Amino acid sequence: MKTLYLHIGTPKTATSSIQKFLDENKETLEKHGYCFPESVYRYRKVNIRRNGHFLVNKIVKEDGKRDKEQEKICSEKGFDQIADCFHKFDNVIISDEAIWHSSSYFRKNTFSKLKRNADENGYQIKVIVYLRRQDQFLLSRWNQSVKQNFSYAAKLTCDEYVLKVQKKERKIFEYASKLDEIADYIGKENIIVRRFQPDSWKDRSIIHDFMYEIGLDVTDEFIELEKEANLRLNNNTTEIKRIINQNQRFTDNEISYLGKLLREISENNPEKKPTSMLSKEETQKILSEYEQENLRVAEEYCRDGKPLFSNEISDAAKWSPQNEEMYIDMIRFFSSAIVQLHRENLQQDEEIKYLKSELKRLEKRENSIENKIQKIDQTSKTFREKVRH
């Protein structure tokens, strides 16, 4: 039967890497009967590879109001695109990590609409979701919000975020209840739950694991990713970025520019003394709140006789802005920013020198041409005078 593989994240479970791999291997996928279609619309601040965003899209007009008419148009185009793809391929893959959250709140009809379209067009739905332990999910989601300067969370401390989000958005952390909502439309047997743990993945690769779950092995004909997409900031650079996000005098482009420098620092300077944004006691409290939910996911959805997650908790000290590495990261950041500006100034100086030399050359050429024209004019004048005489 024709199958729609719907990859719904969750957020911060290497969804960007999976989407990038699928996009870079479109032709090879199509040889095997799988289609990873283009996004039907270019959404602001949404990666173009998130081709399933039409299911939960939110389009805002220039005046700040939602463009519900355009949202409806894009949604219809997305469903039409799926139907068209099934005319050529037996398998279609769409992916967007926002589905997990949005379908719990402002797009509660996501799966009912999708199921109705599947029934009308004769395809089945397989949902693939990767879950990570709730404490890790909380921290990764906060890190991403700060890094992207997106939503209210971009300016909150980690402690403020953990307290607020568990009250405001608790549904997305109650995994069993959320999976039950989806199962009401497509059945538990059509939900593929995977742990976001390398030791549980095929070949310890989330790309290989995802491909295996949709029925393909990653052979030499596929192009492997050179490095992971969407790398996180470390604890110190996240705090620096959070403070930068609060500066209302900076434009979005300026904040993004500084964020790029911080990502480079995080990537090139791993933490010497790993710390945790949550204390051991705080982590235990969070895990205890979701213990029964996780137990039910393992029993009813994973069904492999193993617990959903390990309960092992790191003994790393809780992060503090007064840690001894903070001043080093601050120096790295400011020196990187100054050196980057210095390099750009040097480049601009070279460009100015080149343009000046080009201007002189053109001026010299222009003078030479003018002199030649004057000589020609003089010769012509002399010739005309001789002819008259």
Side-chain angles (χ1 to χ4, degrees):
M1 187 176 184
K2 293 183 181 294
T3 303
L4 175 71
Y5 290 99
L6 175 61
H7 174 222
I8 62 173
T10 53
K12 298 309 297 174
T13 56
T15 49
S16 296
S17 294
I18 292 172
Q19 291 158 1
K20 185 177 181 182
F21 176 84
L22 295 170
D23 185 61
E24 292 183 357
N25 287 278
K26 280 183 179 180
E27 292 184 4
T28 305
L29 285 167
E30 290 176 0
K31 291 178 184 177
H32 291 273
Y34 290 75
C35 177
F36 183 67
E38 299 282 347
S39 178
V40 295
Y41 183 80
R42 187 67 175 96
Y43 300 93
R44 184 172 176 267
K45 291 188 176 182
V46 174
N47 193 304
I48 192 68
R49 292 188 288 264
R50 290 168 58 179
N51 62 357
H53 199 66
F54 72 89
L55 290 169
V56 292
N57 61 6
K58 182 185 284 188
I59 300 174
V60 180
K61 294 184 284 189
E62 291 184 2
D63 60 6
K65 297 180 180 178
R66 279 182 58 186
D67 191 342
K68 294 187 178 181
E69 183 61 32
Q70 185 62 41
E71 290 175 1
K72 182 180 179 182
I73 291 171
C74 290
S75 178
E76 291 173 352
K77 285 183 177 179
F79 283 117
D80 289 342
Q81 181 188 51
I82 290 175
D84 290 342
C85 289
F86 277 125
H87 290 150
K88 299 179 181 178
F89 304 96
D90 289 334
N91 304 282
V92 177
I93 310 165
I94 61 174
S95 173
D96 189 85
E97 55 269 36
I99 294 172
W100 181 262
H101 179 279
S102 298
S103 63
S104 297
Y105 294 99
F106 77 97
R107 281 282 188 268
K108 293 183 178 180
N109 63 346
T110 298
F111 288 96
S112 61
K113 288 176 65 177
L114 190 60
K115 181 62 167 63
R116 184 164 59 250
N117 187 268
D119 292 342
E120 291 173 355
N121 291 279
Y123 64 85
Q124 65 175 340
I125 304 167
K126 295 281 187 181
V127 167
I128 302 176
V129 58
Y130 283 84
L131 300 176
R132 68 189 308 167
R133 210 171 67 178
Q134 281 86 349
D135 59 312
Q136 297 167 0
F137 184 23
L138 274 162
L139 296 181
S140 295
R141 198 162 174 263
W142 170 73
N143 182 281
Q144 182 76 357
S145 297
V146 174
K147 187 177 74 171
Q148 291 187 331
N149 191 27
F150 182 71
S151 83
Y152 69 93
K155 300 175 179 63
L156 299 179
T157 66
C158 184
D159 288 344
E160 291 170 338
Y161 174 81
V162 170
L163 183 63
K164 189 167 186 175
V165 79
Q166 285 197 95
K167 291 181 179 179
K168 185 178 179 181
E169 302 175 346
R170 190 176 181 84
K171 286 183 181 180
I172 66 172
F173 303 99
E174 295 174 337
Y175 295 158
S177 299
K178 178 61 186 177
L179 292 171
D180 289 346
E181 289 180 9
I182 300 172
D184 285 343
Y185 295 100
I186 68 171
K188 289 183 178 180
E189 69 279 6
N190 290 315
I191 300 178
I192 302 169
V193 176
R194 302 295 296 154
R195 301 170 177 86
F196 189 69
Q197 296 173 183
D199 59 1
S200 69
W201 302 335
K202 179 177 173 59
D203 303 329
R204 293 185 63 84
S205 163
I206 194 165
I207 302 295
H208 290 207
D209 192 74
F210 177 87
M211 294 292 285
Y212 177 79
E213 292 299 335
I214 66 172
L216 290 173
D217 286 324
V218 180
T219 59
D220 291 341
E221 61 184 324
F222 288 93
I223 303 170
E224 295 270 20
L225 296 184
E226 291 185 4
K227 65 177 182 178
E228 180 185 355
N230 200 16
L231 295 170
R232 68 185 294 278
L233 297 174
N234 66 30
N235 292 339
N236 285 344
T237 52
T238 301
E239 175 64 8
I240 297 171
K241 181 63 165 55
R242 186 186 70 82
I243 294 172
I244 290 172
N245 292 344
Q246 296 174 344
N247 194 322
Q248 297 180 354
R249 293 179 298 171
F250 291 165
T251 66
D252 287 345
N253 286 338
E254 288 167 342
I255 291 176
S256 178
Y257 172 82
L258 296 173
K260 182 180 178 181
L261 297 177
L262 290 169
R263 286 196 297 274
E264 291 174 356
I265 292 171
S266 291
E267 185 176 357
N268 298 323
N269 300 280
E271 295 171 300
K272 292 182 179 179
K273 292 183 179 180
T275 56
S276 172
M277 297 305 296
L278 294 171
S279 69
K280 192 169 184 177
E281 292 73 25
E282 290 169 332
T283 302
Q284 288 173 332
K285 182 177 183 299
I286 291 171
L287 294 183
S288 65
E289 292 180 17
Y290 301 106
E291 183 178 358
Q292 292 304 313
E293 285 276 326
N294 293 347
L295 178 62
R296 197 156 65 78
V297 173
E299 292 177 347
E300 299 180 20
Y301 290 92
C302 295
R303 298 184 293 273
D304 57 6
K306 300 177 182 178
L308 184 58
F309 305 118
S310 165
N311 288 322
E312 183 179 348
I313 300 174
S314 170
D315 288 325
K318 182 171 180 176
W319 176 87
S320 165
Q322 285 76 41
N323 71 84
E324 60 185 33
E325 290 291 317
M326 181 56 117
Y327 81 92
I328 296 176
D329 283 332
M330 290 289 292
I331 292 171
R332 284 172 178 152
F333 172 60
F334 285 115
S335 60
S336 293
I338 292 169
V339 168
Q340 181 67 24
L341 290 174
H342 176 65
R343 288 171 179 169
E344 291 175 359
N345 286 337
L346 287 177
Q347 183 179 356
Q348 290 174 357
D349 287 343
E350 289 298 317
E351 291 174 356
I352 290 171
K353 287 179 182 178
Y354 171 75
L355 291 173
K356 283 182 176 180
S357 67
E358 279 292 290
L359 181 60
K360 287 182 179 179
R361 185 181 67 81
L362 292 172
E363 288 176 345
K364 186 176 180 180
R365 181 183 176 188
E366 183 181 7
N367 291 335
S368 175
I369 292 172
E370 287 179 355
N371 290 335
K372 288 179 181 179
I373 292 173
Q374 289 175 0
K375 287 180 180 180
I376 292 171
D377 287 343
Q378 184 62 41
T379 302
S380 176
K381 182 179 180 182
T382 303
F383 176 77
R384 288 196 299 271
E385 290 176 351
K386 288 181 178 181
V387 169
R388 282 200 298 270
H389 292 295

